[in-house]
Amino acid sequence: MNEEFSALRKDAVTTPARFAAGLLRQKSPGLLLIDEMLARQILYDILQDTDKGSIFARFGISPGKVSDLFMLFQEIRAYQNENAFFSQEKNPKIAELQRLYFQYQSILSQNNFIDGPSLFGRAAAIQPDKNLCLFVYGVRSPYPDLQIFFQNLKRNVASFTYYHPYTENRKIFTDRGEWLSDSPVPILPDTHYSAFLQLFSGEKSGNRSSMKVFIREFRSPKEEVESIAQEIIRLVDEGLAYSEIAIGTPDLSSVTSLINNVFPQFGLPFTSSATIPLSSSPVIQAFVQLLEIPSRGYRREDLVEAYSSPYLGLLNANSPVTPITVDKIAREAFIIDGLSSWTTSLPQLTTRLRDLFSSPETPEYRRKEIEREIQQIEMVSAITQPILQHLKSLEPSGTLQKHINSVRALFSSLKINPSKIAGTVQEGEDLRQFSTLLCEMEKNSSLYRGREIEYPDFVKILKGELQKRRTQRHRTGQGIRVIGIRELQDQKFPILFLMDLTNERLPYVPGHLPYLTDSEEMVLNPDMKRMNLRDERFYFISALCASTRGLYVTCTNAPEKDGLIPSPFFREIQQNIPTLEWIPSPPEASTRFRQAYAGKCLGGRTLPNPSILPEIADPIRLADLLSRINIEYFHRTGEYDSPFDGVLCEDVEICACLDGRFGDERIYSVSVLEKYASCPFSFYLNHVLGLEALPDVEITLSPADKGTLIHHILAQFYAQWIHERGTPPLAEDRDRALQQLRLITEKELADFGKDGPAWDALKSDLLGMGGYHKGILERFLDVEIARAQSRLCPAFFECSFGFEGVGNSISPEPVTIHVKGEEGASFKIRGFIDRVDVSDDGTFTISDYKAGNHPKLSEIMSGKSLQLPLYLRSFEILTGKKAAAGAYYKIHRKEVSHQAELYDPAHPQVIEVFSARSRMGDTCFDEVIEQSIRSAWTSIQSIRCGLFHPPKDPCESSAYCDFRKICRFSKFRVLELGESEGGDD
Ligand code: SF4
């Protein structure tokens, strides 16, 4: 009886649907029973041909909407009252539904197709084998189409016996089977009285059986599962086998995933009948993600993800190119999406880098980096272009068969062999199902060609079908059974836990049928909601009856936290069945509970109960546990004084290594020293460990790239202008100078090869827009013209010191700066100075162009901003001239101004040319420079001795710091530090 036999054999056991299908195959071989997938495809085609203004086209045509329509048609057929339903012809939506319905039926009939919903209706017209002896069992309140089918069988076969569950409780049973017989239907005596059968009837029931019913509400689903696990441990200790225990639940998927998290901590084996959509399988997701690349527009992240997938194996294990290389290069090439962007942006990036390489201003070390980058671009191009071309071949529209052929061709050209990439049994099963799905789609395609579809629509259809296919997990066949409430009908377990009986899950009464309102649905079946509710009650009672010795009924009651409240079915048990309160034990068998308990005791410095400690014989793990607790509770509190704060001073090897890397021969750039001054920890991550964030991709340019572009334009402009004229532009030169600036800017912008509205907006910011507004470069020119009569003349632009082989160099050697008052203390620096203006009295000023905010005098004085003072001193050393001021040239859409932050009041005729000046007051110019040198020296010494803790002041860079996600900076710790320092004072 376990086997399913041919539908026409007398000893066969089968379902009504399979029996009907067998009958059709046998007696009407010209008809073809089609699956739901083909039925949906036919509906999809019909909807695609629907007039754009129709109601259904306005809902949007997607696989989900098609499924909804199929479900609605299924219900209409099952109730067998199309005429009544479609008689609402004044309702335009119903009229349109009717048109679609008949169009669909007509395609079925033209092709001799029978779909699932029409099965019983068609089979009811077939004459079965007269000698058949049929027994029907387990069917309850059948739909009208099944009733008609049974009536036909009963009329035509030798014997037809129909058993169905019934008791005198109208809240559950209304169908007595009168539709099958004119004579009164006999009710067999109840040999298994259960108090549960009277539930929902309004009467209290006495529990006359020996079975105990325990009841309990919990504060969270996790607590509920943990308590059940602990109770199972107790029951098993008493001698029960795992196979004698079951857990029933209305929401099998979510409870199975919770159990999957909790039971391993208790060492409990389980098996669950839960299924998940095939689309959730990681290996299938990798395939779908690859196929989606063209339909999602060749997005950078999609391609990088495909290269990262271990299933697709798109990168050779020995390849020097990694997914990170692809990502980095694509970002540098400003690729966001678009096939053309992949083909044009990589060569453009190469051209830009080649230009930079051949520029005389590019230092030697940077040239080596550029060479490496160009090599990487070539490799990335070589691996991405063939794949992109293969993916492009998927794009043309075609029939389902054509798309499936293209997918197979893609897998074969990329050497993806689904049968070889399965690492686990489950993956193998998932891939087998994927392959079966493609075969079934192909078969359907041969039965019904259908219209041509666009590639993105094909991917949507494929995803929709993968969503509908279910694949089973956790089915070892051993251990505790985890099962859905509806599956418990006619099963028996000595111990049954019915859990998660919350209002959210039970009873589950579906909302309206798709596309229908309440009143429209009532025409189809006025009793639909009540029928659903009766069904839910029936299956709940069947589940209660599945336990033979002990029943545990539980739920979560946490309205304030999760909005979960007990189901009315739970309350029904509580109020009408004699129950015992279940007092669960703490989940002491759980390894996680034990570990948390041990950690809590150790952290709180209390003695733990040895019987609850984790059963870890391994002393290494215990030591690990202790050291972790110590890190959090001890080392990461108070002063920064441990390696966990980045204080590495006590590690001799590390300090020796740092001394080597950052010793006297090290040539520092000012930005590196500033980085240390603002946050030693980010310096450590970036310059000691060498961690780097991937470059951001902006639609136009990142703020940093925009700043570099402006530097470059202004340097070129002034270098050309001074070379040709010898003096800054005067008022009468304005037009010509502006023209020159425009030409340089347009050429620089063209090198990026970008376009689009955002790029036009950037251009307009820089160059202005006819007579409407001035661009920032024109405003810069006006500031320059206003100061043209001063004694200062722009003399050096983007000039370097400390770099070899650079065209615009003041000195290839770095500058050695001595620390005043410290015998033998000195360090070497190098850098690029945006602009130096010199005066005929032997003084000079240094300016740094800024496209955003710039540091203020206070930051210079606190040692956090070192650029101006160190560059002023370096230029003094290199040229013997006297520094008069350091300034920031703010070049921004909102403001163009030249502000002196650090200046020597002894040279009023030099500093008066700036648009604004900071308040130096009594501050001594030379002393600020010396103080900055001392700050830089202190930083260097701290680097050498391994001090890399987070800042002792509140971190102001966290919003844009690349390391914010791994940073352990805590403002509360800093506040505490400040308080204890205040107390000491
Ligand atoms: S977030 Fe702040 S404290 Fe943390 S690394 Fe970045 S700059 Fe330093």
Side-chain angles (χ1 to χ4, degrees):
M1 296 291 281
N2 290 330
E3 247 181 276
E4 186 174 337
F5 297 84
S6 152
L8 296 186
R9 278 182 55 184
K10 289 179 185 165
D11 52 352
V13 177
T14 187
T15 63
R18 289 187 182 190
F19 183 79
L23 208 52
L24 269 176
R25 269 195 295 273
Q26 178 98 3
K27 306 277 183 178
S28 305
L31 291 178
L32 192 69
L33 190 60
I34 60 167
D35 59 18
E36 277 191 25
M37 190 161 57
L38 180 51
R40 282 195 292 267
Q41 195 201 327
I42 294 170
L43 278 175
Y44 190 83
D45 281 4
I46 294 173
L47 284 176
Q48 289 286 350
D49 287 334
T50 307
D51 177 12
K52 292 273 176 288
S54 84
I55 296 168
F56 289 90
R58 271 187 272 138
F59 277 127
I61 301 165
S62 65
K65 295 277 186 293
V66 172
S67 289
D68 284 350
L69 196 59
F70 179 74
M71 189 211 270
L72 178 60
F73 287 178
Q74 194 171 18
E75 292 288 316
I76 293 172
R77 287 317 297 265
Y79 285 113
Q80 297 272 305
N81 64 352
E82 289 101 322
N83 292 345
F85 181 72
F86 289 128
S87 66
Q88 311 169 74
E89 73 252 347
K90 290 213 178 103
N91 178 335
K93 183 177 63 185
I94 302 290
E96 200 172 320
L97 268 176
Q98 183 182 24
R99 188 180 59 71
L100 294 173
Y101 182 78
F102 287 122
Q103 206 175 336
Y104 171 67
Q105 293 299 338
S106 150
I107 293 179
L108 293 189
S109 128
Q110 281 162 24
N111 291 281
N112 285 332
F113 290 160
I114 300 289
D115 66 353
S118 314
L119 178 62
F120 293 130
R122 292 299 287 265
I126 292 175
Q127 188 78 21
D129 183 346
K130 281 201 179 327
N131 301 324
L132 272 178
C133 186
L134 287 175
F135 291 88
V136 178
Y137 174 78
V139 178
R140 178 180 171 272
S141 300
Y143 274 69
D145 61 341
L146 185 54
Q147 289 182 7
I148 294 168
F149 178 56
F150 285 159
Q151 284 163 354
N152 179 51
L153 291 176
K154 182 170 177 284
R155 273 194 305 273
N156 293 297
V157 297
S159 121
F160 184 89
T161 312
Y162 178 75
Y163 292 101
H164 71 118
Y166 184 79
T167 194
E168 291 294 346
N169 182 346
R170 291 199 59 78
K171 288 291 169 67
I172 303 165
F173 301 100
T174 50
D175 174 19
R176 290 188 58 168
E178 294 93 338
W179 48 269
L180 196 60
S181 165
D182 298 333
S183 51
V185 177
I187 299 176
L188 298 178
D190 186 358
T191 50
H192 299 285
Y193 170 79
S194 170
F196 301 130
L197 292 175
Q198 289 312 311
L199 281 173
F200 307 107
S201 65
E203 290 181 15
K204 276 201 182 307
S205 316
N207 183 4
R208 284 187 249 143
S209 72
S210 59
M211 187 181 67
K212 290 182 178 153
V213 181
F214 298 95
I215 195 155
R216 178 80 192 181
E217 294 172 22
F218 290 91
R219 285 164 300 175
S220 73
K222 182 167 168 274
E223 188 192 357
E224 192 178 351
V225 172
E226 285 180 339
S227 302
I228 289 173
Q230 185 68 35
E231 182 68 359
I232 291 175
I233 298 271
R234 189 187 68 75
L235 292 167
V236 171
D237 284 348
E238 283 180 2
L240 221 66
Y242 289 135
S243 58
E244 294 177 289
I245 302 169
I247 297 174
T249 172
D251 186 349
L252 187 58
S253 297
S254 66
V255 164
T256 299
S257 88
L258 190 56
I259 285 178
N260 195 36
N261 281 334
V262 171
F263 274 28
Q265 296 162 30
F266 290 80
L268 289 176
F270 74 95
T271 173
S272 165
S273 51
T275 55
I276 61 163
L278 190 55
S279 56
S280 310
S281 154
V283 62
I284 302 302
Q285 280 176 348
F287 283 165
V288 172
Q289 194 268 335
L290 177 71
L291 298 180
E292 274 189 307
I293 291 177
S295 52
R296 284 156 64 122
Y298 299 91
R299 300 184 330 168
R300 186 192 69 244
E301 55 265 47
D302 288 345
L303 208 64
V304 172
E305 204 174 320
Y307 279 114
S308 312
S309 167
Y311 298 114
L312 301 178
L314 298 181
L315 284 177
N316 190 319
N318 304 321
S319 165
V321 177
T322 65
I324 293 176
T325 324
V326 178
D327 196 15
K328 180 176 147 278
I329 295 293
R331 283 166 187 261
E332 282 174 4
F334 307 117
I335 294 172
I336 294 174
D337 55 21
L339 182 61
S340 62
S341 174
W342 283 95
T343 43
T344 56
S345 299
L346 293 176
Q348 277 167 358
L349 176 61
T350 309
T351 309
R352 278 204 301 281
L353 287 174
R354 283 199 206 289
D355 288 351
L356 198 59
F357 184 88
S358 42
S359 162
E361 286 145 37
T362 305
E364 199 50 39
Y365 84 95
R366 181 71 188 112
R367 286 205 179 110
K368 286 191 183 125
E369 284 175 6
I370 291 172
E371 267 178 347
R372 271 199 304 276
E373 268 181 65
I374 290 177
Q375 265 179 13
Q376 284 186 335
I377 297 168
E378 281 163 3
M379 287 190 284
V380 167
S381 201
I383 63 154
T384 51
Q385 290 310 318
I387 288 187
L388 289 166
Q389 288 315 312
H390 288 313
L391 288 169
K392 188 174 181 321
S393 69
L394 296 174
E395 283 188 45
S397 54
T399 60
L400 211 51
Q401 179 67 62
K402 179 257 151 197
H403 288 300
I404 293 169
N405 290 345
S406 305
V407 168
R408 291 216 164 102
L410 174 82
F411 288 165
S412 131
S413 52
L414 297 184
K415 300 195 172 47
I416 297 171
N417 184 347
S419 64
K420 288 204 178 140
I421 58 174
T424 63
V425 175
Q426 187 64 54
E427 284 167 3
E429 172 61 22
D430 294 347
L431 286 168
R432 197 190 55 72
Q433 282 209 44
F434 180 68
S435 183
T436 308
L437 174 66
L438 289 185
C439 291
E440 285 174 13
M441 283 176 119
E442 261 185 323
K443 190 179 135 223
N444 284 342
S445 203
S446 68
L447 295 175
Y448 174 74
R449 186 172 185 276
R451 73 203 300 277
E452 296 209 336
I453 41 180
E454 304 278 332
Y455 179 69
D457 289 338
F458 163 72
V459 176
K460 275 193 220 155
I461 290 172
L462 181 65
K463 280 178 75 179
E465 294 303 331
L466 288 167
Q467 182 74 28
K468 290 202 175 309
R469 300 253 150 163
R470 311 286 299 185
T471 163
Q472 213 171 355
R473 296 287 194 268
H474 318 291
R475 46 171 176 184
T476 56
Q478 292 162 355
I480 300 139
R481 286 280 303 277
V482 181
I483 189 168
I485 271 196
R486 286 184 169 231
E487 294 172 82
L488 278 165
Q489 190 189 359
D490 292 334
Q491 303 240 31
K492 291 289 172 222
F493 293 95
I495 298 292
L496 175 67
F497 292 85
L498 281 185
M499 66 165 290
D500 197 27
L501 304 184
T502 51
N503 198 31
E504 291 257 296
R505 325 259 191 250
L506 192 75
Y508 173 68
V509 179
H512 299 153
L513 284 172
Y515 302 112
L516 299 191
T517 62
D518 245 345
S519 56
E520 290 158 358
E521 191 178 273
M522 293 278 277
V523 178
L524 203 55
N525 177 10
D527 202 29
M528 196 179 294
K529 294 264 181 315
R530 272 192 296 272
M531 255 174 61
N532 288 333
L533 191 56
R534 282 196 294 270
D535 263 3
E536 285 290 279
R537 288 174 181 150
F538 170 76
Y539 285 112
F540 179 60
I541 287 175
S542 301
L544 293 171
C545 293
S547 65
T548 55
R549 270 168 44 197
L551 173 68
Y552 294 73
V553 183
T554 67
C555 69
T556 295
N557 191 352
E560 65 298 333
K561 207 166 63 180
D562 301 324
L564 296 176
I565 54 170
S567 149
F569 287 16
F570 178 90
R571 293 283 182 235
E572 184 75 19
I573 296 268
Q574 204 169 36
Q575 286 157 14
N576 294 312
I577 300 284
T579 55
L580 301 166
E581 195 189 353
W582 172 32
I583 313 281
S585 314
E588 291 173 2
S590 152
T591 47
R592 194 173 295 173
F593 177 86
R594 286 166 172 249
Q595 282 165 359
Y597 169 76
K600 217 165 164 182
C601 293
L602 290 167
R605 297 174 178 79
T606 57
L607 202 60
N609 176 350
S611 69
I612 311 178
L613 279 176
E615 294 159 0
I616 306 171
D618 181 357
I620 298 173
R621 291 196 60 195
L622 265 181
D624 186 43
L625 176 70
L626 282 170
S627 80
R628 280 161 194 255
I629 292 165
N630 279 339
I631 291 166
E632 293 305 323
Y633 285 83
F634 181 73
H635 295 303
R636 283 210 175 110
T637 55
E639 285 288 346
Y640 294 124
D641 52 9
S642 78
F644 306 102
D645 298 319
V647 177
L648 310 173
C649 316
E650 287 180 10
D651 191 313
V652 180
E653 254 182 76
I654 290 178
C655 288
C657 184
L658 289 169
D659 211 31
R661 275 176 69 182
F662 298 97
D664 287 344
E665 291 313 306
R666 172 87 183 200
I667 305 168
Y668 291 91
S669 74
V670 175
S671 59
V672 162
L673 292 173
E674 281 183 343
K675 174 88 140 214
Y676 183 89
S678 66
C679 175
F681 187 59
S682 77
F683 171 91
Y684 174 67
L685 297 174
N686 194 188
H687 298 286
V688 180
L689 299 185
L691 302 183
E692 269 179 38
L694 285 168
D696 278 339
V697 181
E698 312 276 333
I699 300 176
T700 55
L701 291 179
S702 68
D705 286 337
K706 194 170 162 189
T708 310
L709 174 71
I710 292 174
H711 280 57
H712 215 53
I713 292 170
L714 296 183
Q716 280 190 61
F717 165 72
Y718 249 137
Q720 282 178 16
W721 187 270
I722 297 287
H723 178 71
E724 289 164 10
R725 304 276 181 128
T727 58
L730 303 170
E732 57 270 29
D733 301 321
R734 190 177 185 280
D735 288 348
R736 187 174 165 174
L738 190 56
Q739 177 65 10
Q740 198 163 327
L741 258 176
R742 276 183 181 285
L743 287 174
I744 295 169
T745 309
E746 275 163 6
K747 178 182 173 311
E748 287 289 324
L749 288 172
D751 284 351
F752 285 94
K754 289 192 160 207
D755 52 24
W759 190 249
D760 291 344
L762 172 71
K763 267 187 181 169
S764 147
D765 274 357
L766 293 173
L767 297 172
M769 214 174 160
Y772 292 106
H773 75 88
K774 282 185 182 178
I776 53 179
L777 295 174
E778 187 174 355
R779 282 148 70 199
F780 163 80
L781 191 59
D782 288 340
V783 174
E784 288 299 295
I785 289 172
R787 50 169 282 169
Q789 303 300 343
S790 82
R791 299 175 69 175
L792 282 172
C793 180
F796 298 93
F797 315 99
E798 286 200 331
C799 58
S800 71
F801 59 96
F803 293 103
E804 282 181 20
V806 178
N808 209 9
S809 165
I810 318 170
S811 158
E813 298 300 323
V815 172
T816 301
I817 295 190
H818 294 275
V819 186
K820 196 172 170 187
E822 288 207 35
E823 187 66 33
S826 67
F827 57 93
K828 293 177 185 172
I829 64 164
R830 64 183 176 193
F832 279 89
I833 304 174
D834 284 349
R835 170 170 166 176
V836 184
D837 290 36
V838 292
S839 165
D840 51 12
D841 64 357
T843 58
F844 69 92
T845 66
I846 277 180
S847 299
D848 190 49
Y849 294 126
K850 289 279 180 210
N853 290 334
H854 59 76
K856 301 286 178 291
L857 178 62
S858 58
E859 286 160 85
I860 297 174
M861 291 176 61
S862 69
K864 285 197 173 152
S865 177
L866 299 167
Q867 192 181 35
L868 291 181
L870 293 191
Y871 280 180
L872 287 168
R873 174 53 51 87
S874 301
F875 199 78
E876 280 183 338
I877 294 170
L878 286 166
T879 62
K881 292 184 184 296
K882 176 76 183 87
Y888 289 107
Y889 217 132
K890 186 164 184 180
I891 302 188
H892 189 264
R893 195 155 46 92
K894 291 188 185 150
E895 183 186 345
V896 176
S897 64
H898 200 178
Q899 160 129 359
E901 281 299 333
L902 179 63
Y903 53 90
D904 188 350
H907 303 284
Q909 71 285 17
V910 171
I911 56 175
E912 71 191 4
V913 301
F914 294 102
S915 344
R917 291 190 293 273
S918 65
R919 293 196 183 160
M920 288 280 286
D922 294 339
T923 315
C924 171
F925 175 70
D926 285 327
E927 184 44 38
V928 176
I929 295 180
E930 293 301 339
Q931 176 55 37
S932 298
I933 293 169
R934 278 195 293 278
S935 296
W937 177 239
T938 308
S939 292
I940 291 168
Q941 285 178 304
S942 303
I943 292 168
R944 288 175 183 167
C945 76
L947 268 182
F948 300 117
H949 54 74
K952 292 187 178 177
D953 317 323
C955 167
E956 280 155 15
S957 324
S958 57
Y960 48 86
C961 171
D962 288 338
F963 306 110
R964 61 189 176 278
K965 291 199 176 140
I966 51 171
C967 174
R968 298 301 300 253
F969 176 82
S970 156
K971 63 182 171 193
F972 300 108
R973 184 173 176 186
V974 167
L975 276 175
E976 276 172 24
L977 280 176
E979 278 168 16
S980 65
E981 276 167 18
D984 288 351
D985 289 346

